[in-house]
Amino acid sequence: MSIATLVLSGFLTFVELNCENLFDCKHDSLKNDMEFLPTSGRQWTPRRYWRKLDNIGRTIISCTPDTVTYQLPDLVALVEVENDSVLHDLTRRSLLRNAGYDYVMTCSPDERGLDVALLFQPFSFQLLRHYPLRIVPLPDMRPTRDILYVSGRVMSGDTLHVFVVHAPSRYGGERETRPFRRHVAQRLMQSVDSIRALSPDAAILVAGDFNDYVDDASLQYLEAQGLHNASKTAVGHHGARGTYRFQGLWASLDHIFVSSSLRQELDSCYVNDQPFLLEDDEKYGGVKPFRTYNGMRYRRGFSDHLPLVARFRL
């Protein structure tokens, strides 16, 4: 059977979200997380932490595309989450506590302690295996986030392969850091090609914050290797023209790629820009993501990125 034979709601819903620094309030002696402590300049207190968890939970709940059954997303790829304690609090003690999500995540050598994770609904995604893909740094490249690989059996009995990516940032200059993001893309494709060698029609989904835009080299490389950028033209319904806004210009650093077989089952892909996730852009006009901090000023918001939602026919 193909993935299209799934039953239940008629769709499999996948969400990708950069959480914008989802840190707890405790210092990890092995990480540079001092910025997010109660005594730091950001005054990252337990009160602010718990509000952030509920905000992320509310964001995920708002990605529910079916307002009749209110079925929550089946899979949620999260970027910029600190550790297992944060994911436990998010899934067991926040607004998501009754949502039934399980999760897996990485434990990367990232200097700040940031990782990636995948939330999943056990009734629609039966976990088979998961492991991190370590990125061996190039010269002058700081340790970066592992890629998370997860495979699971969907309701049809078929296997879905998921990769969650958080590529190196542009800090230090886009041109100077460009080889680092290409290096991550190449490591990703090594694993994708291993899967395709065994199963040419495998259903493969790659998502995350690539810190590159659709026309940049690392993403062009992925498409040249046979992955389809399902989110290339994704926009919102309330003014967002991408997942991220910089100096008044909308674009997307977040992307969802799919294999050829999964592309055939893609129903839609869009930016979830519910009005409560936006605020007025007083400097450039229009709206922008309602973020947690603007510089060092606490804003009580959600994230500087908006979530991507992809729906696949079952």
Side-chain angles (χ1 to χ4, degrees), residues 143-259:
T144 191
R145 280 75 56 172
D146 294 343
I147 298 171
L148 175 63
Y149 166 72
V150 187
S151 66
R153 186 171 290 116
V154 292
M155 296 281 292
S156 66
D158 297 318
T159 299
L160 177 64
H161 304 270
V162 181
F163 294 87
V164 185
V165 179
H166 187 192
S169 75
R170 298 181 168 211
Y171 182 77
E174 187 279 327
R175 181 181 295 273
E176 290 76 9
T177 57
R178 189 183 303 167
F180 306 156
R181 291 183 292 280
R182 173 63 179 260
H183 181 54
V184 170
Q186 290 172 330
R187 177 65 185 91
L188 168 68
M189 287 309 306
Q190 289 176 6
S191 290
V192 170
D193 287 341
S194 295
I195 295 171
R196 294 195 297 200
L198 295 174
S199 179
D201 294 327
I204 301 172
L205 192 156
V206 178
D209 181 349
F210 291 80
N211 272 307
D212 267 336
Y213 301 110
V214 291
D215 294 327
D216 288 325
S218 69
L219 302 191
Q220 292 296 306
Y221 167 76
L222 294 181
E223 292 206 272
Q225 298 301 306
L227 292 180
H228 170 68
N229 191 341
S231 57
K232 180 179 289 187
T233 59
V235 296
H237 302 294
H238 301 282
R241 310 303 298 175
T243 62
Y244 188 75
R245 199 175 200 219
F246 179 68
Q247 294 183 350
L249 299 176
W250 283 104
S252 289
L253 297 171
D254 308 273
H255 305 274
I256 296 175
F257 287 85
V258 295
S259 60

Side-chain angles (χ1 to χ4, degrees), residues 34 45 60 90 98 101 314:
M34 301 295 289
T45 61
I60 293 171
L90 177 66
N98 294 321
Y101 282 114
L314 305 181

Side-chain angles (χ1 to χ4, degrees), residues 265-291:
E265 314 303 341
L266 180 65
D267 176 78
S268 61
C269 187
Y270 57 92
V271 178
N272 177 25
D273 63 341
Q274 295 289 339
F276 73 87
L277 297 174
L278 302 171
E279 65 175 341
D280 292 335
D281 191 332
E282 297 179 356
K283 183 173 183 179
Y284 296 102
V287 293
K288 62 181 181 180
F290 183 19
R291 60 190 302 168

Side-chain angles (χ1 to χ4, degrees), residues 33 58 130 156 182 217 264 289:
D33 61 357
R58 186 181 175 194
H130 66 93
S156 66
R182 173 63 179 260
Q264 298 174 12

Side-chain angles (χ1 to χ4, degrees), residues 73-84:
D74 299 281
L75 297 163
V76 184
L78 297 178
V79 174
E80 291 197 10
V81 291
E82 185 183 17
N83 53 37
D84 184 82

Side-chain angles (χ1 to χ4, degrees), residues 24 49-50 53 84-94:
D24 61 21
Y49 168 66
W50 286 104
L53 288 173
D84 184 82
S85 295
V86 168
L87 265 294
H88 175 82
D89 287 343
L90 177 66
T91 58
R92 300 295 182 264
R93 304 178 68 189
S94 77

